Amino acid sequence: MPLLIQNGTLLLPEGPVKADLRVEGERIAQIGPGLPAEGSQLIDAAGKLVFPGFIDTHTHFEMNQGTQRETADNWTTGTRAALAGGTTCVLDFAEPQRGHSLASALEVWQERAEGRASCHYGFHMTIKDWDPRIRDELRAMTAAGITSYKVYMAYAPMRISDRTALEVVQAVGEEGGIVGCHCENGDLVDAGIAAMHAEGRFGPDAHPSSRPPAVEAEAVGRWLAIGELAGYPVNIVHLSTWQGLEQVRIARKRLQEVYVETCPQYLTLTGDKYRLPGFEGAKYVCAPPLRAQINVDALWEALAAGEIDTVGTDHCSFYFNPTKQLGEADFAAIPGGIPGVEHRVELMYTYGVAAGRITAHQMMKALSEHPARLFGMYPRKGALAVGSDADITILDPNASRVITAAGQVQNVDYTPYEGMESRCGIDTVLLSGAVAARGGRVLLENRGRYVRRGSAQFWR
Ligand code: DUC
Ligand code: ZN
């Protein structure tokens, strides 16, 4: 039976409009005021905001940071939490083992996700090794719908040289894809950790001191130089500092095309968390680390000014007990990463839209349209438009609640957002035309499908 969403404020590509929207099968069939109700199942969206399903550009489900360091959320629990929180599609990072092919990673990730995912999904591919064999695999990756990649400037087992980064950006650019970079200078991080140890600092409060803003800003500047020399647009993942942002501004002044992602944690939390009593600070250990308030303000301003393009979570959940506690004697051994896939939409609405920092339309762009464009899914996803997939999130701006670990769907024993206010509710989530979640409760599981993505669609 067709489904009619009535009287909502629809976040269309051109702006918010009060209208109705009809879904037939898995697609949006009609948009307009006063659509006839006959023969349709009705959803009353009066007073609510109707968004194209939100896309999380950055998750790590079933990721392993070494023995006993498996993430708490797997594909079943992570995508269930995403859906409960209003996210209808996630882009997760597939990672080949060192010396293994990209195809092997794709196969593993497909196997893990297929039949278990409750929201739609695609994969970015991580490049750790670079040789003619991997280079030759890019064509097959494009055919399989993988058009985005990630390289690391930090982490000993992953980081690549600047020369390799240049070659990767060129090769992926020729394929019509985009490369994102984890911008932290790995050598300086190693030096920072060693300096903390030399000072006898082994607790979580040493974590941000070991990788200060300059470590990110230097890497952002270098990454942008690499992008400029390669002659293709590049992406920066999880930007966390105003100094890094300044590097982006310099690059854009020279007319370089660069895209930027930040995360809810860098927009809503600060580095004070690392000074919580006992080992509590470990809950917030992620890389890059949480920063001082000046960065939070700068990132919001940049989002409002259209300088930041996407907001993904970097969801990488580890149990506090026992996993984070593996680093009790040394902050450098705390598995890095925090959960967020379930709370991103509420946080962005509450601390962005309801707080007057960004508009609902800007939120739609950063969480839905831009991810779909940059990662080759637009307008099938990321738009309320006739013919687009009926992945739809209806948000109630009159609801409120307090975020707690006790009330969460994601499979982890804490949330970094414990006790924070949410000034909205995830009312109804449609996945491919079916009501899949309501009021934060998942109604339909395992309906997620792989999204075969096309070329990046650049707009800058
Ligand atoms: N940062 C984290 O904190 N965890 C996973 C990967 C990353 O870049
Ligand atoms: Zn990440």
Side-chain angles (χ1 to χ4, degrees):
M1 184 194 282
L3 209 145
L4 185 65
I5 301 172
Q6 289 183 306
N7 302 316
T9 297
L10 309 184
L11 275 302
L12 301 182
E14 57 275 19
V17 168
K18 259 210 171 99
D20 300 342
L21 182 151
R22 195 187 315 275
V23 171
E24 281 178 17
E26 297 194 353
R27 299 282 170 92
I28 297 172
Q30 238 183 331
I31 294 174
L35 297 183
E38 83 270 355
S40 295
Q41 181 192 333
L42 302 181
I43 296 182
D44 179 15
K48 296 178 184 149
L49 301 172
V50 182
F51 289 92
F54 293 111
I55 299 166
D56 193 333
T57 49
H58 195 144
T59 65
H60 300 276
F61 298 142
E62 282 181 62
M63 199 189 80
N64 196 324
Q65 281 185 12
T67 351
Q68 299 179 295
R69 285 149 197 269
E70 182 81 18
T71 53
D73 279 299
N74 59 27
W75 275 88
T76 303
T77 64
T79 56
R80 198 194 278 151
L83 191 70
T87 290
T88 54
C89 183
V90 296
L91 296 175
D92 198 82
F93 288 87
E95 278 184 23
Q97 285 177 41
R98 199 110 225 196
H100 290 234
S101 65
L102 305 184
S104 67
L106 178 56
E107 198 180 312
V108 170
W109 256 252
Q110 288 284 24
E111 219 165 78
R112 288 176 182 175
E114 205 177 330
R116 291 169 70 200
S118 289
C119 68
H120 297 318
Y121 57 94
F123 311 117
H124 308 287
M125 185 59 66
T126 305
I127 304 256
K128 297 176 176 175
D129 299 301
W130 186 245
D131 55 37
R133 191 179 45 93
I134 300 283
R135 166 82 181 80
D136 286 347
E137 279 198 274
L138 296 187
R139 184 65 46 87
M141 288 295 118
T142 308
I146 307 287
T147 51
S148 50
Y149 295 80
K150 183 182 184 187
V151 294
Y152 285 82
M153 286 181 164
Y155 298 126
M158 315 243 239
R159 69 191 194 224
I160 59 168
S161 71
D162 296 344
R163 181 177 179 173
T164 297
L166 178 70
E167 288 178 18
V168 171
V169 174
Q170 280 168 336
V172 169
E174 283 167 23
E175 278 294 318
I178 177 107
V179 187
C181 183
H182 177 124
C183 295
E184 286 188 298
N185 180 317
D187 267 357
L188 295 182
V189 170
D190 293 345
I193 292 171
M196 291 300 113
H197 288 167
E199 285 176 28
R201 292 180 61 187
F202 290 91
D205 67 313
H207 172 64
S209 313
S210 71
R211 40 212 318 153
V215 166
E216 176 176 271
E218 184 282 331
V220 169
R222 188 156 38 96
W223 175 239
L224 293 175
I226 289 166
E228 185 189 20
L229 293 176
Y232 288 102
V234 289
N235 189 26
I236 295 163
V237 300
H238 51 50
L239 186 81
S240 67
T241 58
W242 70 262
Q243 291 95 327
L245 197 55
E246 285 298 318
Q247 295 296 322
V248 172
R249 289 179 177 137
I250 291 167
R252 286 186 178 146
K253 267 192 194 140
R254 61 180 182 242
L255 301 182
Q256 189 176 341
E257 193 166 351
V258 43
Y259 295 87
V260 180
E261 174 200 73
T262 191
C263 310
Q265 55 270 33
Y266 304 120
L267 292 163
T268 61
L269 302 172
T270 60
D272 301 356
K273 298 289 187 196
Y274 298 118
R275 294 194 292 276
L276 285 171
F279 196 56
E280 274 297 293
K283 292 180 176 174
Y284 303 88
V285 166
C286 57
L290 303 178
R291 307 293 190 180
Q293 185 65 37
I294 186 174
N295 300 282
V296 174
D297 295 338
L299 293 173
W300 277 116
E301 281 162 23
L303 198 56
E307 294 177 296
I308 291 178
D309 304 289
T310 59
V311 178
T313 55
D314 201 359
H315 179 98
C316 185
S317 59
F318 292 103
Y319 288 113
F320 180 62
N321 180 11
T323 319
K324 288 270 186 185
Q325 286 174 351
L326 293 169
E328 217 156 4
D330 178 6
F331 72 90
I334 299 169
I338 61 175
V341 74
E342 184 174 344
H343 300 127
R344 178 184 63 139
V345 174
E346 281 178 277
L347 291 167
M348 292 305 294
Y349 183 82
T350 302
Y351 298 93
V353 181
R357 287 176 166 130
I358 57 169
T359 65
H361 191 240
Q362 287 172 318
M363 173 172 159
M364 183 279 285
K365 295 246 173 202
L367 274 66
S368 199
E369 180 181 317
H370 288 166
R373 281 185 189 274
L374 190 59
F375 300 117
M377 298 183 276
Y378 194 82
R380 189 176 144 201
K381 304 215 178 282
L384 292 181
V386 172
S388 291
D389 288 354
D391 298 337
I392 297 172
T393 300
I394 304 177
L395 186 145
D396 183 355
N398 297 309
S400 67
R401 69 171 189 130
V402 172
I403 295 172
T404 63
Q408 73 188 359
V409 173
Q410 46 196 24
N411 179 45
V412 57
D413 57 355
Y414 78 99
T415 164
Y417 306 108
E418 184 75 33
M420 284 174 67
E421 197 193 4
S422 164
R423 286 172 61 189
C424 67
I426 307 302
D427 185 81
T428 305
V429 186
L430 266 63
L431 191 78
S432 295
V435 176
R438 214 170 234 152
R441 284 197 20 248
V442 171
L443 306 177
L444 297 177
E445 296 197 32
N446 311 333
R447 301 277 188 106
R449 288 200 300 257
Y450 175 64
V451 183
R452 195 178 288 271
R453 297 179 292 117
S455 298
Q457 300 162 40
F458 301 119
W459 66 90
R460 283 196 171 276

